[in-house]
């Protein structure tokens, strides 16, 4: 074995010893509550398809029709010749849904965060982030060239101390609306007030709130009654509650025009296929009209939390579809995940560095596609495997 491969083998061996080796499983069915995984049927509780739209027949039909008419790929970036009418209409509909002047499509949420943050701040500026933010925002902050700092989780006073001590130019504050591994909500009204006191800008990554929170599902900002002035930069993803793929930034006319000119991950990336945009437009409509999906989801969340608490499991303060069960040791979380799989349930074990040391967990995610009986089945399995 050559020195290069010897080094890589040592890294892999260490991962296995730490119980942090990650493996892919092969899914051979459409996403839904029941999945065929490595040739076996499992009830899945690890998908981000919160509204149960991934395999909706209207979305499937819309994608097929658009693919036949417009082709499979977009052919180029948006600024060359890849910006189709489906993209354009989807951006208008996203802006209207979120109550913003305009929206701009990105191919992934990672690219949206990277493109927005690096376009908005640089040398001489500051970017402050919640310590539990998603990796995409943390990476963007590190790459921006701005002074990069992290404040205590959901702590406006900690943010205030960071902003008050800065004497440079612009200050951008970036937070998750719903934290992907804890499931809790950022205190956006308090954070918005703190940012405003220091003449900064607030950016919210609403990947896990968009479609789920708010009276119409428009996300965390709607949930808290915040507008474009309160939160000038909103990011949302389309591959979770909306059931398709991609992401967007929504905000003012000037914000979107600035990102078109300055955002490298927008300028230098092939546009998503127009057929995906067509399917997404249907998903966006269903997210707004099928309010029963959010109502059913809320009922399942309450039912699961009650049952898991009665079993003595340690839950986190989450009112969202993300319901983490804190286990602690990496090996114990992996063992419980495997025990559930043997009983027919797929629940992911999340370990460091995705979560802090000593807080390995089972990340249970609920969707509108689940039934009460399936949740009861999971609770029964959790009782069987309880340490």
């Amino acid at each position: 074995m050559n020195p290069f491969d010897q080094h890589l083998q040592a890294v892999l061996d260490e991962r296995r010893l730490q119980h942090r080796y990650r493996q892919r499983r092969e899914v051979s069915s459409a996403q839904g509550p029941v999945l065929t995984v490595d040739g076996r049927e499992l009830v899945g509780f690890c998908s981000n398809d919160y509204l149960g739209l991934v395999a909706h027949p209207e979305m499937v039909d819309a994608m097929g029709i658009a693919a036949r008419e417009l082709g499979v790929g977009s052919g180029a970036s948006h600024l060359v010749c890849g910006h189709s009418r489906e993209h354009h209409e989807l951006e208008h509909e996203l802006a209207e849904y979120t109550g913003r002047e305009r929206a701009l499509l990105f191919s992934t949420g990672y690219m949206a965060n990277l493109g927005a943050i690096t376009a908005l701040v640089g040398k001489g500026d500051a970017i402050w982030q919640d310590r539990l933010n998603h990796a995409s925002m943390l990476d963007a902050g590190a790459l921006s060239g701005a002074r990069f700092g992290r404040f205590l989780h959901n702590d406006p006073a900690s943010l205030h101390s960071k902003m008050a001590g800065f004497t440079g130019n612009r200050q951008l504050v970036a937070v998750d609306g719903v934290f992907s591994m804890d499931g809790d909500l950022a205190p956006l009204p308090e954070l918005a007030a703190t940012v405003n006191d220091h003449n900064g800008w607030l950016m919210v990554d609403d990947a896990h709130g968009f479609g789920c929170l708010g009276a119409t599902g428009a996300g965390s900002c709607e949930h808290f009654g915040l507008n474009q002035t309160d939160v000038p930069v909103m990011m949302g993803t389309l591959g979770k509650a909306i059931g398709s793929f991609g992401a967007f930034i929504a905000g003012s006319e000037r914000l979107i025009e600035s990102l078109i000119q300055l955002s490298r991950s927008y300028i230098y990336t092939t546009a998503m296929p127009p057929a995906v945009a067509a399917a997404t437009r249907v998903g966006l409509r269903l997210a707004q009209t099928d309010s029963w999906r959010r109502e059913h989801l809320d009922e399942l969340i309450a039912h699961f939390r009650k049952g898991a608490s009665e079993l003595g499991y340690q839950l986190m303060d989450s009112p969202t579809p993300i319901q983490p069960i804190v286990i602690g040791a990496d090996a114990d979380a992996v063992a419980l995940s495997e025990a559930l799989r043997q009983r027919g349930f797929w629940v992911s074990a999340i370990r460091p560095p995705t979560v802090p040391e000593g807080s390995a967990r089972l990340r249970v995610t609920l969707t509108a596609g689940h039934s009460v009986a399936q949740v009861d089945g999971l609770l029964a399995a959790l009782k069987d495997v309880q340490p």
Side-chain angles (χ1 to χ4, degrees):
M1 188 182 299
N2 63 52
F4 178 68
D5 283 336
Q6 284 179 340
H7 166 71
L8 295 179
Q9 188 61 55
V11 171
L12 295 174
D13 290 344
E14 184 179 9
R15 282 271 176 167
R16 288 189 176 93
L17 288 171
Q18 294 174 328
H19 302 282
R20 294 178 184 177
Y21 193 82
R22 305 181 190 210
Q23 293 176 286
R24 299 182 299 177
R25 298 194 181 276
E26 183 179 320
V27 178
S28 55
S29 61
Q31 287 289 325
V34 180
L35 300 165
T36 303
V37 186
D38 295 332
R40 180 187 173 198
E41 279 198 349
L42 298 175
V43 181
F45 285 94
C46 48
S47 171
N48 295 326
D49 179 27
Y50 300 131
L51 297 184
L53 293 175
V54 163
H56 195 287
E58 289 185 41
M59 294 181 66
V60 174
D61 289 346
M63 179 175 281
I65 291 169
R68 284 188 289 273
E69 180 181 351
L70 301 172
V72 174
S74 61
S77 67
H78 286 276
L79 292 177
V80 178
C81 64
H83 188 69
S84 73
R85 70 168 185 269
E86 292 293 344
H87 297 120
H88 207 66
E89 290 303 316
L90 176 55
E91 288 181 344
H92 282 298
E93 290 160 10
L94 285 166
E96 183 176 1
Y97 190 12
T98 59
R100 266 66 182 165
E101 292 174 11
R102 283 186 66 183
L104 187 68
L105 289 172
F106 285 78
S107 294
T108 67
Y110 203 109
M111 295 174 73
N113 282 335
L114 185 67
I117 289 173
T118 56
L120 292 173
V121 292
K123 187 175 181 180
D125 303 323
I127 169 77
W128 310 114
Q129 299 201 30
D130 189 291
R131 63 183 300 272
L132 295 187
N133 270 1
H134 189 266
S136 58
M137 286 206 289
L138 298 175
D139 289 353
L143 290 169
S144 68
R147 179 180 174 184
F148 177 32
R150 299 163 75 175
F151 58 92
L152 297 177
H153 179 52
N154 282 350
D155 190 334
S158 176
L159 172 61
H160 166 75
S161 68
K162 297 283 187 183
M163 299 189 78
F166 182 67
T167 58
N169 300 324
R170 296 174 291 270
Q171 297 190 78
L172 176 67
V173 176
V175 297
D176 284 5
V178 174
F179 289 88
S180 60
M181 292 299 124
D182 288 19
D184 57 340
L185 277 61
L188 293 184
E190 293 85 354
L191 292 174
T194 301
V195 173
N196 183 64
D197 287 344
H198 295 283
N199 298 313
W201 308 328
L202 179 60
M203 174 179 176
V204 173
D205 174 338
D206 211 24
H208 297 274
F210 183 61
C212 297
L213 298 179
T216 69
S220 300
C221 292
E222 182 183 46
H223 173 78
F224 285 112
L226 302 177
N227 58 30
Q228 180 176 293
T229 301
D230 302 314
V231 180
V233 188
M234 174 191 172
M235 192 283 276
T237 55
L238 304 168
K240 298 180 176 66
I242 306 303
S244 60
F245 182 77
F248 67 94
I249 297 287
S252 68
E253 172 79 21
R254 289 180 177 84
L255 169 66
I256 300 308
E257 278 301 314
S258 296
L259 294 181
I260 290 172
Q261 306 304 318
L262 302 173
S263 174
R264 294 170 66 85
S265 62
Y266 176 81
I267 297 168
Y268 300 111
T269 301
T270 299
M272 72 166 67
V276 172
T280 304
R281 293 179 64 195
V282 175
L284 207 62
R285 172 175 56 79
L286 292 169
Q288 295 172 78
T289 59
D290 289 2
S291 58
W292 65 265
R293 296 179 185 274
R294 281 183 295 279
E295 293 165 4
H296 178 58
L297 187 54
D298 287 342
E299 292 168 0
L300 293 180
I301 292 167
H303 185 68
F304 174 79
R305 288 185 64 84
K306 181 175 183 292
S309 296
E310 289 174 351
L311 291 173
Y313 280 102
Q314 181 184 346
L315 299 177
M316 303 192 79
D317 185 20
S318 168
T320 70
I322 302 166
Q323 292 296 319
I325 300 175
V326 180
I327 304 301
D330 296 359
D332 292 341
V334 171
L336 282 173
S337 176
E338 177 58 24
L340 289 172
R341 191 177 73 85
Q342 293 300 324
R343 287 162 175 77
F345 297 92
W346 191 6
V347 181
S348 297
I350 308 297
R351 294 149 285 167
T354 306
V355 294
E357 292 286 344
S359 70
R361 65 199 62 181
L362 299 178
R363 183 179 183 267
V364 176
T365 54
L366 302 165
T367 78
H370 285 119
S371 66
V372 173
Q374 287 169 331
V375 174
D376 283 339
L378 175 62
L379 290 168
L382 284 168
K383 182 177 181 180
D384 287 344
V385 303
Q386 195 167 23

